[in-house]
Amino acid sequence: MKTITKIFVAAVALFGVAIAANAKSPKNTDNNVSSIAEHDIEVYGSNYTDGDKFDGLTRKVGFDRMIPPHALEVCFEKTTHIIFPSEVVYVDLGNENLVAGLADGAKNVLRVKSAFKSFKQETNLSVITDDGSYYTFNVKFAKEPLLLSIEMTDFLHDGESVNRPNNAQEIYLEKLGQESPVLVKLIMKSIYKQNKREIKHIGSKRFGVQFLLKSIHTNNGLLYFHTELKNTSNIAFDIDYVSFKIVDKKVIKRTAMQEQVLEPLRAQNYVTVVHGKSSERIVFALEKFTIPDDKQLVIEVAEKKGGRHQSLFAGKAFAQRNLPGMSAVEVRADMVNGFYTGNSRNCGYNLGVFYSVIKGNNANTWSFGGEYLQTYKPYGEKGRIPVAQFTGEVGYNLRIVSDYSQTFHLYGGVSALAGYETVNWGESILRDGSTIQAKDAFIYGGAVTLSADFYLSDHVALGAHLKEKFIFGNDTGHFLFAYGIHFKYQF
């Protein structure tokens, strides 16, 4: 009996110990709550109240304001390389367990490795890049890191909704003033994507290479220059540098030329080579500036190990005409089949208005217009019979040659025409009672033209031309030769 009693007492004691042990070590199913509680007790002590962990009234930072860090593994024997989308301007290491530095010759590549053969405590790494992006990493030691070469992307491209908190603040850089680097990037991307040409008279074309200034934009103290470089040759154009300078318009002999160099702050799609039969566009961001009356802005593109340099001169009539997309209105006055005077009996005159559009890189044009032609046919000893033509015309003009400064252009063109011809203004009976056999008729035909333009400014040109018409459907003659002058306004 005593033995049974002892066994019962021992069992009760063992059961009590088990209950006590279970009470001291409760099972926690909420790992997140447990870890937060342990963190709060460790940092703030056991007497804190939630929401007031510091002395005084303090607002707790929520997880919606946190920038989630990336996981990074490093070791002592190997180097981890992180490639960022733009130049690294700031690096902070959590402790002495890490060493880091920029790769030689690459300002957007960061090298990271362990300073010791091993470390147990987790640390962190923070990086700010030139485009205003912020990156953070939690770093641990690993004997064999899973990733040794890592390419980062900014929040504009990674497509992850958790990469940045809502209403995240941008990092402002001193050289961009009050403008957000991210906003600068978005503006440049928008200008590049829209690809609008708002400036049509500033450009340079030499040796099969054309450099254009397509538009200028401004926002919050910055200027954005949209440029395009076209290479119509078969030889690639290697860009050595692109420079912006403000220089004197006129330089007195034996006087040093004064110039102010402007450094671009940003560039969208900056390329180093334009291959043959292709084109590239670049958007530059510069700090706002003004140009005095006696100075001008010069944008230069230099070719590496070559001589096909291009220069744009803002405000100067040089290499800025007959660029693709430009249009012109032209007024013509001609003599027809001779030199016309008021009493001429076998010749006449011609008046015309044309609209032309430049297409392609060679300054070739399509032209559309109409002409009024008045000629006379001799009748008797002193009489004459008027013949008038009203025609519409569509033509294509091929540029034959132009000079270095784009002041002189020579064109050859062909055109098709159609219209109406009237003889003696529809009166078939003359004053002496004679009857005119030629009738009014609808006419058609073509023409060949040789035209020369001399530019007086970026927009205004005077010129001379020769024209031979071939007319069919009438009874008064099929060939008409005209020569004259014209006035052209280009825009």
Side-chain angles (χ1 to χ4, degrees), residues 154-284:
D154 57 40
F155 81 100
L156 293 176
H157 302 90
D158 59 13
E160 295 184 18
S161 59
V162 299
N163 187 51
R164 292 168 60 85
N166 296 330
N167 303 320
Q169 300 296 314
E170 310 299 345
I171 297 175
Y172 285 74
L173 304 178
E174 182 178 358
K175 62 183 179 180
L176 291 181
Q178 299 300 316
E179 191 72 295
S180 162
V182 175
L183 182 58
V184 172
K185 190 170 187 177
L186 289 174
I187 292 174
M188 297 173 68
K189 287 171 66 69
S190 177
I191 294 172
Y192 183 85
K193 183 177 180 179
Q194 291 181 11
N195 191 22
K196 292 183 178 180
R197 184 176 182 185
E198 299 176 357
I199 299 176
K200 299 183 179 180
H201 67 285
I202 299 180
S204 173
K205 185 176 182 181
R206 299 170 58 195
F207 314 115
V209 178
Q210 187 175 34
F211 185 43
L212 303 175
L213 178 60
K214 305 190 71 172
S215 61
I216 301 177
H217 307 264
T218 181
N219 185 72
N220 204 11
L222 296 181
L223 294 174
Y224 300 87
F225 290 78
H226 184 197
T227 64
E228 183 173 13
L229 190 63
K230 297 182 178 181
N231 185 5
T232 59
S233 69
N234 294 317
I235 303 175
F237 186 94
D238 295 305
I239 299 177
D240 189 12
Y241 62 85
V242 180
S243 67
F244 292 76
K245 296 183 294 184
I246 297 178
V247 302
D248 296 329
K249 285 186 177 180
K250 296 182 180 180
V251 181
I252 302 175
K253 292 183 178 179
R254 299 182 182 179
T255 302
M257 184 176 183
Q258 301 295 323
E259 65 177 36
Q260 175 187 355
V261 179
L262 307 172
E263 294 291 341
L265 304 176
R266 291 287 190 277
Q268 173 72 28
N269 190 46
Y270 189 85
V271 296
T272 58
V273 60
V274 181
H275 297 286
K277 305 297 182 181
S278 65
S279 64
E280 295 288 349
R281 293 181 293 110
I282 308 175
V283 180
F284 296 95

Side-chain angles (χ1 to χ4, degrees), residues 70 76 268 344 348 406:
H70 297 274
F76 182 77
Q268 173 72 28
S344 298
Q406 302 293 305

Side-chain angles (χ1 to χ4, degrees), residues 34-323:
S34 176
S35 61
I36 293 176
E38 291 176 2
H39 170 269
D40 291 345
I41 293 174
E42 179 181 352
V43 176
Y44 304 104
S46 59
N47 296 324
Y48 80 96
T49 58
D50 190 26
D52 192 15
K53 300 176 182 179
F54 296 84
D55 294 334
L57 182 62
T58 306
R59 182 179 182 182
K60 183 178 180 180
V61 178
F63 279 95
D64 62 330
R65 303 307 309 168
M66 184 185 73
I67 300 177
H70 297 274
L72 184 66
E73 297 176 351
V74 297
C75 68
F76 182 77
E77 301 294 340
K78 298 179 182 181
T79 301
T80 300
H81 287 80
I82 309 174
I83 304 173
F84 294 92
S86 59
E87 179 182 344
V88 174
V89 296
Y90 170 86
V91 177
D92 179 75
L93 304 178
N95 58 26
E96 68 279 2
N97 291 334
L98 298 178
V99 291
L102 294 178
D104 297 337
K107 296 182 179 181
N108 68 319
V109 179
L110 184 67
R111 301 177 298 180
V112 186
K113 67 184 305 181
S114 173
F116 304 99
K117 291 186 177 181
S118 177
F119 64 85
K120 296 182 178 180
Q121 184 179 3
E122 180 184 297
T123 184
N124 74 318
L125 168 68
S126 300
V127 178
I128 297 176
T129 56
D130 191 51
D131 61 358
S133 297
Y134 176 81
Y135 304 86
T136 179
F137 303 84
N138 284 341
V139 187
K140 287 188 175 183
F141 181 88
K143 292 183 179 180
E144 289 293 336
L146 182 63
L147 303 175
L148 289 175
S149 298
I150 303 170
E151 182 177 11
M152 305 301 297
T153 55
D154 57 40
F155 81 100
L156 293 176
H157 302 90
D158 59 13
E160 295 184 18
S161 59
V162 299
N163 187 51
R164 292 168 60 85
N166 296 330
N167 303 320
Q169 300 296 314
E170 310 299 345
I171 297 175
Y172 285 74
L173 304 178
E174 182 178 358
K175 62 183 179 180
L176 291 181
Q178 299 300 316
E179 191 72 295
S180 162
V182 175
L183 182 58
V184 172
K185 190 170 187 177
L186 289 174
I187 292 174
M188 297 173 68
K189 287 171 66 69
S190 177
I191 294 172
Y192 183 85
K193 183 177 180 179
Q194 291 181 11
N195 191 22
K196 292 183 178 180
R197 184 176 182 185
E198 299 176 357
I199 299 176
K200 299 183 179 180
H201 67 285
I202 299 180
S204 173
K205 185 176 182 181
R206 299 170 58 195
F207 314 115
V209 178
Q210 187 175 34
F211 185 43
L212 303 175
L213 178 60
K214 305 190 71 172
S215 61
I216 301 177
H217 307 264
T218 181
N219 185 72
N220 204 11
L222 296 181
L223 294 174
Y224 300 87
F225 290 78
H226 184 197
T227 64
E228 183 173 13
L229 190 63
K230 297 182 178 181
N231 185 5
T232 59
S233 69
N234 294 317
I235 303 175
F237 186 94
D238 295 305
I239 299 177
D240 189 12
Y241 62 85
V242 180
S243 67
F244 292 76
K245 296 183 294 184
I246 297 178
V247 302
D248 296 329
K249 285 186 177 180
K250 296 182 180 180
V251 181
I252 302 175
K253 292 183 178 179
R254 299 182 182 179
T255 302
M257 184 176 183
Q258 301 295 323
E259 65 177 36
Q260 175 187 355
V261 179
L262 307 172
E263 294 291 341
L265 304 176
R266 291 287 190 277
Q268 173 72 28
N269 190 46
Y270 189 85
V271 296
T272 58
V273 60
V274 181
H275 297 286
K277 305 297 182 181
S278 65
S279 64
E280 295 288 349
R281 293 181 293 110
I282 308 175
V283 180
F284 296 95
L286 288 88
E287 187 177 358
K288 184 178 67 176
F289 60 89
T290 57
I291 304 175
D293 292 337
D294 60 342
K295 297 182 181 294
Q296 61 184 347
L297 173 65
V298 179
I299 308 175
E300 294 181 337
V301 179
E303 183 182 20
K304 186 183 298 182
K305 297 181 180 179
R308 297 179 295 176
H309 311 311
Q310 305 292 317
S311 298
L312 302 182
F313 295 81
K316 183 177 179 182
F318 178 78
Q320 300 173 10
R321 302 132 188 169
N322 284 19
L323 301 177

